[in-house]
Amino acid sequence: MFFALPNTLPPAGLFTAAHGLLLLGTLLVMAAALRVTRLFTEKKLRRIFLYLTLFLLLLEVGKILFALLRIGTRNPNEFVPLYFCSITLAAGLFSGAGRGRLRLCGDIFLATGGLVGGIVFLLVPATSLPSYPALHFLSLYSFLLHGAMVYMGLALHLSGLYRIKTADLPLAALPISITAAAALLVNHVYDLVTGTEIANLMFLSRDFPGTPISLLYRLPRPLFTLLMWVIQAFGPFLLVLLVARLTGGRRVTQAHPEN
């Protein structure tokens, strides 16, 4: 069951009791982690980010191997880590072990894009629970990854290690735009080489039925792609900035830079 092929066992489904239990468990673990680490020094908190991201990277390798060896797929949508939430795997390393602008870039993504993306997935896990049971490797990994995204984003805000400001918008859009450009290139090359139209990394090239993307897909293809990039590159940052402004940008605690 833990490594069953997709749709060979009854899937957990969206907005079901199984989804609710996974969501509740993730929220409880996340709340406990925030409570335990709320007074950690900056050095300790960043070390947590680094170790957590390294663990997620190992699980991502497991996900890729599962897709290639267990499922036997050659569809890049299933194993190429060029999606919005995949940026967390780089941003976590930048935030945990980087310096200067590289660290800032990681912090910005985790505190904005990662935070919003994680929340959206936990509420609507459309890429795992519709195809797998709740206790499947991919279901559990997806909730761990996106729960970690929310945890790291909130930890940065609550510790005071990152305070959002309008001037950070270009750095927020940079890693997302680089990933989008790479995803578009892979989508185009894969479809060109195979003569198919299935590659949809970053959801930039095609519809994703059953999601709000279907509404946008009615637009002409170039406009659809442009709009999907704009929404992903700028939307999460602007949303978090709006919330910060509405709440007065208060910080609950202040991390200490000492060891």
Side-chain angles (χ1 to χ4, degrees):
M1 176 173 147
F2 197 66
F3 293 105
L5 294 173
N7 299 308
T8 57
L9 293 175
L14 300 180
F15 315 120
T16 61
H19 177 192
L21 288 174
L22 280 175
L23 178 59
L24 178 61
T26 302
L27 293 176
L28 290 175
V29 172
M30 189 169 56
L34 286 170
R35 181 175 179 82
V36 169
T37 61
R38 72 190 189 283
L39 296 180
F40 275 20
T41 63
E42 177 179 356
K43 183 177 180 179
K44 287 183 178 179
L45 192 57
R46 293 197 181 279
R47 190 178 299 150
I48 291 291
F49 288 5
L50 176 60
Y51 293 159
L52 179 57
T53 306
L54 290 173
F55 181 57
L56 293 173
L57 278 167
L58 286 176
L59 294 179
E60 182 69 20
V61 171
K63 174 186 172 182
I64 294 170
L65 293 176
F66 177 83
L68 292 174
L69 303 179
R70 177 75 171 121
I71 300 177
T73 183
R74 292 300 178 264
N75 184 340
N77 301 334
E78 304 296 329
F79 63 87
V80 178
L82 286 176
Y83 285 104
F84 184 90
C85 295
S86 304
I87 302 171
T88 302
L89 302 175
L93 296 179
F94 296 163
S95 179
R99 294 290 184 271
R101 302 286 280 185
L102 195 63
R103 170 176 284 181
L104 177 59
C105 194
D107 287 352
I108 293 170
F109 179 82
L110 293 177
T112 57
L115 177 58
V116 174
I119 291 172
V120 170
F121 181 90
L122 292 177
L123 295 177
V124 189
T127 58
S128 60
L129 295 193
S131 301
Y132 298 98
L135 296 181
H136 192 277
F137 165 68
L138 291 186
S139 297
L140 295 176
Y141 169 52
S142 66
F143 272 79
L144 175 60
L145 170 63
H146 294 88
M149 290 165 62
V150 177
Y151 161 73
M152 289 189 284
L154 288 177
L156 283 168
H157 286 290
L158 296 177
S159 67
L161 290 180
Y162 177 70
R163 294 196 72 179
I164 191 168
K165 54 184 182 295
T166 307
D168 287 339
L169 182 57
L171 276 181
L174 180 61
I176 300 168
S177 299
I178 292 174
T179 305
L184 268 177
L185 179 62
V186 172
N187 290 345
H188 178 71
V189 170
Y190 181 86
D191 288 351
L192 187 65
V193 170
T194 61
T196 61
E197 290 189 356
I198 61 174
N200 195 26
L201 299 169
M202 284 287 285
F203 305 112
L204 292 170
S205 300
R206 328 217 177 277
D207 190 11
F208 187 37
T211 70
I213 293 175
S214 295
L215 299 175
L216 299 178
Y217 198 65
R218 300 172 184 175
L219 299 170
R221 183 69 61 84
L223 183 57
F224 165 78
T225 299
L226 176 62
L227 192 55
M228 285 297 296
W229 166 69
V230 169
I231 290 172
Q232 294 182 83
F234 300 99
F237 181 91
L238 294 175
L239 178 60
V240 174
L241 179 64
L242 175 62
V243 172
R245 292 286 171 81
L246 292 176
T247 58
R250 297 186 183 89
R251 289 178 290 181
V252 177
T253 61
Q254 177 67 50
H256 301 288
E258 302 87 12
N259 294 336

